[in-house]
Amino acid sequence: MDDTFLDRLRSIVGEANVLASGDLSAYEQDWRGWWTGKALAVARPRTSQEVADVVKVCVAAGVSIVPQGGNTGLVEGGVPDASGRQLVVQMGRMQAVRQIDEANMTVTVEAGCVLASLQQQVRDAGLLFPLSLGAEGSCMVGGNLATNAGGTQVLRYGNARDLCLGLEVVTPAGDVLHSLSGLRKDNSGYDLRDLFVGSEGTLGIITAATLKVFPLPASTVTCWAAARGIEEAIGLLGLARQHLGASLTGFEFMDETGLDFVVRNMPMLRVPFADSLPPYSILIETSGPEPEPQARAVMEALLESALQQDLITDVVLAESGEQARQLWDVRENIPLAQVADGPNVKHDISLPISAIPAFVARSQETLSLSIPGVRIVNFGHLGDGNLHYNVQGPEGCKPQEFMARHGEQVTKLVYQEVAALGGSFSAEHGVGRVKADALAAYKCPTALRLMRAIKAAIDPLNVMNPRPYDEAAALKP
Amino acid sequence: MDDTFLDRLRSIVGEANVLASGDLSAYEQDWRGWWTGKALAVARPRTSQEVADVVKVCVAAGVSIVPQGGNTGLVEGGVPDASGRQLVVQMGRMQAVRQIDEANMTVTVEAGCVLASLQQQVRDAGLLFPLSLGAEGSCMVGGNLATNAGGTQVLRYGNARDLCLGLEVVTPAGDVLHSLSGLRKDNSGYDLRDLFVGSEGTLGIITAATLKVFPLPASTVTCWAAARGIEEAIGLLGLARQHLGASLTGFEFMDETGLDFVVRNMPMLRVPFADSLPPYSILIETSGPEPEPQARAVMEALLESALQQDLITDVVLAESGEQARQLWDVRENIPLAQVADGPNVKHDISLPISAIPAFVARSQETLSLSIPGVRIVNFGHLGDGNLHYNVQGPEGCKPQEFMARHGEQVTKLVYQEVAALGGSFSAEHGVGRVKADALAAYKCPTALRLMRAIKAAIDPLNVMNPRPYDEAAALKP
């Protein structure tokens, strides 16, 4: 069977674009090397029609498909399982920017375009595509949409979902959904676009998208403020919204423990207030059409008001783009600085912003009671209610031992507090295989039933990126 | 059967809240009186649990449900059919604002709250809920979400969809989906929220929602500009985006014919440049956190630049809130001014903004060739690509005769041009029963198949607001 199947694939995408032997580890393993599967083969189609034909061949052969972009996901959603019976459909050859439409402020791009390349091509046209995240040098637009990627500009421009106006998708039946027209208003039926966005390749393969672009901001102003507590940090967020309106592009926070890792382990980075770290540090970025002096004046007025209201105790305003970059570097290197002390239990959670102080207090208490000396590193996109909440073993412990002994316990305690406060166990990384158990445990049962019904309706043969929770559903009476 | 059924309803919502006799026309007829159906009864539940229990009783009895809010829809989506076998579930008793969360910038509100009441309650808390449309005095939030309402602030704040963070929904199985937590990031499974938003009561009954609120703008600036052609108007839009960024709240356009109706039929309104109407008039509104003098200076710089580039030929800047209101009055009264000359064929269409000049030229040509002397009134939300494209018979014709003879022909010609240019036959009004034929004719066949599969999966018994296209689907082999 396999030879016939592979021959059919070759006749669609060409001999060179079916990989069935040799080292396929780049496709079988996620980029961090945490999970390794075994693929039946890898197909690299060039057009949406080729994708559709590949899907039909898979359906006929009873082979399931794992769509794959840059393979930078964090939840084991883009690598095959261990069966050796799944086909990886790698989208990297569909990388064209089909059109930049300046009057409509849209770009139409294929799924395999690397995010940084899309950003650059849009910038070359004098415009901004604002989606920005750590993996942008290798992640692909199709994957960004399939996972509803977040990143650092969500506060102003939204998630990948909010940037998407239309999609081209190959369905599990091998049909092509044509919906790339780039309309800002379209109430002609169910919102299929948003169903595919964030569905992690389980409902179809996104082959192209029409996305919003924006004017390049004329100015960007960045500052770094010190706050005594999380309540003050949230108060500052409210004040920033009032002063800055839609110019507020970034509002990131970092706790003292996280920055202490940076101070100790990355001495080349200049951490503000390093001599006496405040409980919380905040990075604020504003950008917009105003000339820089005007934007700085607005930021200064905000900071003055925040000092007067005792929301912040100190502040540094970046004097140049270079200084702003250095501040962002500190923020972005916390995970790396933490790695120097060994692995830790990571969580990508979100909460209503008003519930964050209670979460911080309760989870700190619960974790410290359960595991005395445990170290919590809490940082992330406060403006979106998105915390990267990492838990490291007590000073001097053996990290691997801590992970093995306490990893699951820690995650359960954290997710329970999150759920009790109306939060989500996955803010921006998705579900994949890694969080399938959390989905079953914490999602509203009605939501789970609806999800399973939709999956079964659109993909009755379970061809597209089958997941543990689909299989659980299949066993249901 | 009916008596038992009604008794069961009464035991759930109370005797007084089951209307089964007397004049039910307020529930059986849309607000314009265009369509009249016949209801089996009207139930008015008070809680989501009551809604769920009503649904279960309907399922058991084989009675289908028409969810109804303020009954202000424009596509016959909220009134029962003529069978006398459908239950209207009217949501007006679920009208509480459950919570305004200032730190999270959200409001949680029940489906039956009138939009204007929600706006006011949020404003009383010092915040802005920006959804705004003509029917706001009687339409209800649940209907706004079920139809993904648009309105005048979409350019800055988005459609109802974009304002919604979470929903509480009663499914066709009588389950309650609890998802009101108000998270700005949540990638824990399929996007059910956006599936229910815009589904027009065919997948479930929205009983409550958590919606975004915003800081009240510190200043608003309004102007009215004259442009020689649609290309210039679109050029002005691009320039406005650059100068104003996210402060650009409104960008409305009106053609000469439309304003001429206002000048002739509504002499109490002061139309700028009435003595010599330009081909196109543009209303620009900007709002944001800046003090008014600063906001005016930015608007003046934009207008100066537009005059220099010959994008506009003249301009009026409103000197007061009262003058701004007068300008909006002119824009909003075009439909009413047109009615004075008798009914016309209305279209609520959207196009990629870059395709609008071609659409204007082509549809004008096609219509004039088919029906010499036909009068086109084209106005709407240019910033969103949303045109209210109304076609009136030639001067001196009998309007009713024109409608009867040419109505369908005109709509077909308009929709064909829209489809050829990648547009939508429904920008903000939805599908309902009125546009079910257009949906079948112009929607991508793959999209239709997916919609039908989703409807069948979530509502296998076709209990929720059955539609012609569902029935067509049911007949499929």
Side-chain angles (χ1 to χ4, degrees):
Chain A
M1 186 279 273
D2 283 2
D3 276 355
T4 321
F5 174 72
L6 293 175
D7 284 345
R8 285 190 183 139
L9 291 182
R10 289 184 186 109
S11 74
I12 297 166
V13 299
E15 190 100 16
N17 295 305
V18 177
L19 317 178
S21 56
D23 179 11
L24 300 182
S25 61
Y27 307 96
E28 293 173 329
Q29 201 174 60
D30 72 295
W31 67 290
R32 293 187 293 195
W34 287 18
W35 307 289
T36 305
K38 177 90 192 87
L40 172 59
V42 178
R44 294 161 39 84
R46 177 63 200 88
T47 66
S48 54
Q49 192 52 56
E50 285 185 12
V51 174
D53 292 341
V54 166
V55 169
K56 283 178 185 155
V57 165
C58 287
V59 169
V63 169
S64 66
I65 293 171
V66 178
Q68 193 178 84
N71 197 8
T72 62
L74 299 171
V75 289
E76 204 185 355
V79 286
D81 64 21
S83 67
R85 303 296 310 151
Q86 296 193 297
L87 179 72
V88 172
V89 175
Q90 208 282 334
M91 299 300 293
R93 290 180 67 232
M94 288 191 69
Q95 58 181 262
V97 170
R98 290 189 189 162
Q99 190 198 17
I100 294 176
D101 181 340
E102 204 177 326
N104 200 41
M105 293 299 270
T106 49
V107 57
T108 299
V109 58
E110 293 179 349
C113 184
V114 169
L115 176 54
S117 169
L118 174 62
Q119 291 168 346
Q120 188 57 52
Q121 290 180 72
V122 171
R123 188 177 300 264
D124 290 345
L127 296 165
L128 172 73
F129 181 66
L131 189 69
S132 174
L133 51 147
E136 62 197 26
S138 44
C139 66
M140 293 174 186
V141 172
N144 296 147
L145 291 164
T147 59
N148 186 26
T152 56
Q153 305 278 297
V154 173
L155 190 56
R156 165 72 179 90
Y157 298 101
N159 297 296
R161 175 185 311 288
D162 303 294
L163 297 169
C164 181
L165 291 175
L167 289 179
E168 181 184 86
V169 181
V170 173
T171 73
D175 295 324
V176 183
L177 173 69
H178 296 283
S179 184
L180 284 175
S181 49
L183 302 175
R184 278 173 165 75
K185 281 184 175 173
D186 182 9
N187 279 348
S188 63
Y190 298 160
D191 181 9
L192 301 172
R193 174 192 67 206
D194 285 311
L195 189 58
F196 287 109
V197 172
S199 67
E200 304 183 317
T202 65
L203 297 177
I205 304 177
I206 295 170
T207 54
T210 298
L211 305 168
K212 295 181 194 166
V213 298
F214 296 83
L216 281 167
S219 63
T220 301
V221 178
T222 310
C223 79
W224 185 285
R228 278 203 194 86
I230 192 74
E231 288 87 353
E232 286 79 358
I234 290 171
L236 177 62
L237 173 63
L239 198 67
R241 284 202 201 98
Q242 278 170 31
H243 278 251
L244 304 170
S247 297
L248 181 59
T249 325
F251 196 97
E252 303 282 314
F253 85 112
M254 296 132 280
D255 70 1
E256 184 181 352
T257 315
L259 287 180
D260 187 53
F261 275 101
V262 179
V263 171
R264 284 191 291 111
N265 295 334
M266 305 187 89
M268 69 299 282
L269 292 181
R270 288 172 54 187
V271 180
F273 320 125
D275 292 340
S276 170
L277 286 172
Y280 287 91
S281 299
I282 319 283
L283 193 166
I284 305 178
E285 186 192 86
T286 157
S287 63
E290 311 85 7
E292 169 135 357
Q294 202 172 310
R296 284 183 75 87
V298 174
M299 179 71 98
E300 283 163 1
L302 161 68
L303 296 172
E304 199 164 313
S305 175
L307 283 163
Q308 274 169 9
Q309 294 181 39
D310 218 18
L311 295 172
I312 58 176
T313 53
D314 206 345
V315 66
V316 177
L317 195 57
E319 295 296 327
S320 66
E322 175 53 27
Q323 277 189 21
R325 190 60 255 162
Q326 287 173 6
L327 295 177
W328 276 103
D329 273 351
V330 173
R331 154 69 182 84
E332 283 167 0
N333 274 297
I334 293 174
L336 211 58
Q338 220 185 334
V339 162
D341 276 33
N344 56 78
V345 195
K346 293 183 187 301
H347 310 92
D348 163 47
I349 55 178
S350 62
L351 290 145
I353 292 167
S354 48
I356 290 177
F359 170 78
V360 167
R362 284 159 60 160
S363 54
Q364 167 85 56
E365 190 186 341
T366 309
L367 287 169
S368 299
L369 275 176
S370 305
I371 312 165
V374 75
R375 290 174 293 172
I376 294 162
V377 171
N378 189 11
F379 67 100
H381 318 292
L382 189 61
D384 314 317
N386 180 187
L387 316 183
H388 296 305
Y389 192 86
N390 296 347
V391 180
Q392 196 129 15
E395 202 121 14
C397 78
K398 289 179 179 158
Q400 271 81 359
E401 235 168 67
F402 171 78
M403 294 289 282
R405 194 161 153 210
H406 293 292
E408 279 186 35
Q409 177 195 7
V410 165
T411 294
K412 192 171 174 186
L413 291 173
V414 170
Y415 285 174
Q416 280 174 345
E417 295 292 354
V418 168
L421 290 163
S424 169
F425 61 85
S426 182
E428 53 181 17
H429 296 169
V431 178
R433 288 203 195 89
V434 168
K435 295 194 178 180
D437 288 347
L439 186 74
Y442 300 105
K443 195 82 178 174
C444 164
T446 303
L448 277 178
R449 272 196 294 277
L450 290 167
M451 284 177 60
R452 286 168 179 154
I454 291 166
K455 169 72 174 173
I458 295 183
D459 185 16
L461 303 175
N462 210 4
V463 170
M464 287 291 172
N465 218 4
R467 291 291 175 76
Y469 54 89
D470 305 327
E471 288 150 28
L475 296 176
K476 281 202 325 176
Chain B
M1 186 280 271
D2 284 1
D3 276 352
T4 322
F5 174 71
L6 294 175
D7 284 342
R8 287 191 181 138
L9 291 183
R10 288 183 188 111
S11 72
I12 298 166
V13 299
E15 190 101 14
N17 295 304
V18 177
L19 317 178
S21 57
D23 180 11
L24 299 181
S25 62
Y27 306 96
E28 294 173 328
Q29 200 174 59
D30 72 296
W31 68 290
R32 294 187 294 195
W34 286 18
W35 307 289
T36 304
K38 176 91 193 87
L40 172 58
V42 178
R44 295 161 38 84
R46 178 63 200 88
T47 66
S48 54
Q49 191 53 54
E50 286 185 13
V51 175
D53 291 342
V54 166
V55 169
K56 282 179 186 155
V57 165
C58 286
V59 169
V63 169
S64 67
I65 293 171
V66 178
Q68 193 178 85
N71 198 7
T72 62
L74 300 170
V75 289
E76 205 186 353
V79 286
D81 63 22
S83 67
R85 302 296 311 149
Q86 296 193 299
L87 178 72
V88 171
V89 176
Q90 207 281 335
M91 299 300 293
R93 290 180 66 232
M94 288 191 70
Q95 57 182 261
V97 170
R98 292 190 190 161
Q99 189 198 17
I100 295 177
D101 181 341
E102 203 177 327
N104 200 42
M105 293 298 270
T106 49
V107 58
T108 298
V109 59
E110 293 180 348
C113 183
V114 168
L115 176 55
S117 168
L118 174 62
Q119 292 168 346
Q120 189 56 51
Q121 290 181 69
V122 171
R123 188 177 301 264
D124 290 345
L127 297 165
L128 172 73
F129 180 65
L131 189 69
S132 175
L133 50 148
E136 62 197 26
S138 44
C139 67
M140 293 175 187
V141 172
N144 296 148
L145 290 164
T147 59
N148 186 25
T152 56
Q153 304 279 299
V154 174
L155 190 56
R156 165 70 180 92
Y157 298 102
N159 297 298
R161 177 186 308 292
D162 303 295
L163 297 171
C164 181
L165 290 175
L167 289 179
E168 181 184 87
V169 182
V170 173
T171 73
D175 296 323
V176 183
L177 173 69
H178 296 282
S179 182
L180 284 174
S181 49
L183 302 175
R184 279 173 164 76
K185 282 184 175 173
D186 183 9
N187 279 347
S188 63
Y190 298 161
D191 181 9
L192 300 171
R193 174 193 66 206
D194 286 311
L195 189 58
F196 287 108
V197 172
S199 66
E200 302 182 319
T202 65
L203 298 178
I205 303 177
I206 294 170
T207 55
T210 299
L211 306 167
K212 294 180 196 169
V213 298
F214 296 84
L216 281 167
S219 63
T220 302
V221 178
T222 310
C223 78
W224 185 285
R228 278 204 194 82
I230 193 74
E231 288 87 353
E232 285 80 0
I234 290 172
L236 177 62
L237 173 62
L239 199 66
R241 284 202 202 97
Q242 278 169 32
H243 279 252
L244 304 170
S247 298
L248 180 60
T249 326
F251 196 97
E252 303 283 311
F253 85 112
M254 296 130 280
D255 72 359
E256 184 180 352
T257 315
L259 287 180
D260 187 52
F261 276 100
V262 179
V263 171
R264 284 191 291 110
N265 296 335
M266 305 186 89
M268 70 298 284
L269 292 180
R270 290 172 54 187
V271 179
F273 321 124
D275 293 340
S276 170
L277 285 172
Y280 288 91
S281 298
I282 320 283
L283 193 166
I284 306 178
E285 185 192 86
T286 157
S287 63
E290 310 85 8
E292 169 134 359
Q294 201 172 312
R296 282 184 77 87
V298 174
M299 178 72 97
E300 282 164 1
L302 161 68
L303 297 172
E304 199 164 312
S305 175
L307 283 163
Q308 273 169 11
Q309 294 180 40
D310 218 19
L311 294 172
I312 58 176
T313 54
D314 207 344
V315 67
V316 177
L317 195 58
E319 295 296 327
S320 65
E322 175 54 27
Q323 276 189 24
R325 190 59 256 162
Q326 287 174 6
L327 296 176
W328 276 103
D329 273 350
V330 174
R331 154 67 183 83
E332 283 167 1
N333 274 297
I334 293 174
L336 211 58
Q338 221 186 333
V339 162
D341 276 34
N344 56 79
V345 196
K346 294 184 186 300
H347 310 92
D348 163 47
I349 55 178
S350 62
L351 290 144
I353 292 168
S354 48
I356 289 176
F359 170 78
V360 168
R362 284 160 60 162
S363 54
Q364 166 84 57
E365 190 186 342
T366 309
L367 287 168
S368 299
L369 276 175
S370 304
I371 311 165
V374 75
R375 290 174 293 171
I376 294 162
V377 170
N378 190 11
F379 66 100
H381 319 292
L382 189 60
D384 314 317
N386 180 188
L387 316 183
H388 295 305
Y389 193 86
N390 296 347
V391 180
Q392 195 128 15
E395 203 120 14
C397 78
K398 290 180 180 154
Q400 271 81 0
E401 234 168 66
F402 171 77
M403 293 289 282
R405 194 162 153 206
H406 292 293
E408 280 186 34
Q409 176 196 8
V410 165
T411 294
K412 191 172 175 186
L413 290 172
V414 170
Y415 286 174
Q416 281 173 345
E417 296 291 355
V418 168
L421 290 163
S424 169
F425 61 85
S426 182
E428 52 181 16
H429 296 169
V431 177
R433 288 201 195 90
V434 169
K435 295 193 177 181
D437 287 349
L439 186 73
Y442 300 105
K443 194 81 177 174
C444 164
T446 302
L448 277 178
R449 272 198 295 276
L450 290 168
M451 284 176 60
R452 286 168 179 154
I454 291 166
K455 170 71 173 171
I458 295 184
D459 185 16
L461 302 174
N462 210 5
V463 170
M464 287 288 170
N465 218 2
R467 292 292 175 74
Y469 54 89
D470 306 326
E471 287 150 28
L475 296 176
K476 280 201 328 177

